[in-house]
Amino acid sequence: MNRSIHSKKQQRERAEAITVRLTSAYPHARCSLDFESPFQLLIATILSAQCTDKRVNSVTPDLFHRWPTPKAMADASQAQIEAVIHSTGFFRAKAKNIRGCCQKLTAQYGGEVPRSMPELVSLPGVGRKTANVVLGSGFGQAVGVVVDTHVGRIARRLRLTRHVNPVQVEHDLAAVFPQQHWIALSHLIIEHGRTVCQARTPHCEACVLADLCPRVGVKTATGATTGRNTIQKTRKS
Ligand code: SF4
């Protein structure tokens, strides 16, 4: 492929082709956290930091059975919540954030999860990624693009961005993918990252995007790395 991808028009056409191919490859891609309400999705997403969705799904049934509402969870003790979520890692910080989040939901939002980005990111333990998950998969609002480790890595390999900072990656993706695709896009890329474009060993030979991808930062058979110097690391914001 031509590895110089400069014009916005070219980038949008390539983004469209990427969307079509990933949609065809992963027609059932969806949020892999189990939830029955935006509240449950919010708590599950807080728990998913530095943890697999499978592990989170193993603790949330007990968590939501014991404390089914923000009020009930806000009234639980730190030690009680820690005991249930222990296996998800960083359990002290997560329990503190969950209690703080539920206390604020109860005190300021009538026990409901707010539906705007500024309100969501004002909650303890909730950053832009978690807010985008809740808005997209919980409320069906395409306010932004969820950028997790898979999305960031694959966006850089595909040269859809040169950035490491998730907010800047999101900005670059939002500039070339139509807004109506933002929610599905993250699910598709995450599925691709789990199955084909894995962190250590991307299976480029089996990839539906192979002819569209400059493979930035991917080691070749000779051990050389493609395009590493084009990635810009900036401070997180
Ligand atoms: S060609 Fe390789 S690096 Fe590019 S998206 Fe596919 S698996 Fe990832």
Side-chain angles (χ1 to χ4, degrees), residues 114-184:
R115 294 173 177 244
S116 77
M117 177 64 75
E119 290 172 313
L120 280 165
V121 297
S122 77
L123 298 169
V126 178
R128 190 169 172 89
K129 188 195 93 174
T130 296
N132 270 328
V133 170
V134 172
L135 290 168
S137 294
F139 292 122
Q141 292 182 37
V143 173
V145 181
V146 174
V147 177
D148 74 347
T149 181
H150 294 295
V151 176
R153 178 182 73 251
I154 294 173
R156 286 185 289 278
R157 286 176 174 174
L158 284 163
R159 200 177 280 153
L160 291 165
T161 184
R162 295 173 187 270
H163 292 287
V164 172
N165 182 312
V167 175
Q168 290 171 311
V169 174
E170 181 184 351
H171 179 268
D172 288 343
L173 294 177
V176 294
F177 287 90
Q179 188 172 8
Q180 69 265 28
H181 292 160
W182 288 355
I183 298 172

Side-chain angles (χ1 to χ4, degrees), residues 24-58:
S24 175
Y26 311 109
H28 305 298
R30 55 179 282 278
C31 178
S32 55
L33 290 169
D34 294 338
F35 65 97
E36 294 178 352
S37 67
F39 167 62
Q40 290 190 359
L41 178 58
L42 172 61
I43 300 303
T45 308
I46 291 173
L47 288 173
S48 71
Q50 307 293 318
C51 181
T52 65
D53 290 355
K54 189 176 175 188
R55 172 76 67 180
V56 172
N57 291 339
S58 74

Side-chain angles (χ1 to χ4, degrees), residues 180-225:
Q180 69 265 28
H181 292 160
W182 288 355
I183 298 172
L185 178 67
S186 300
H187 300 321
L188 292 168
I189 296 179
I190 289 168
E191 192 64 29
H192 191 54
R194 286 177 176 150
T195 57
V196 176
C197 192
Q198 294 163 347
R200 284 175 181 267
T201 313
H203 301 287
C204 301
E205 72 288 350
C207 179
V208 295
L209 306 179
D211 61 312
L212 298 172
C213 182
R215 306 177 194 186
V216 174
V218 174
K219 283 190 176 165
T220 66
T222 62
T225 302

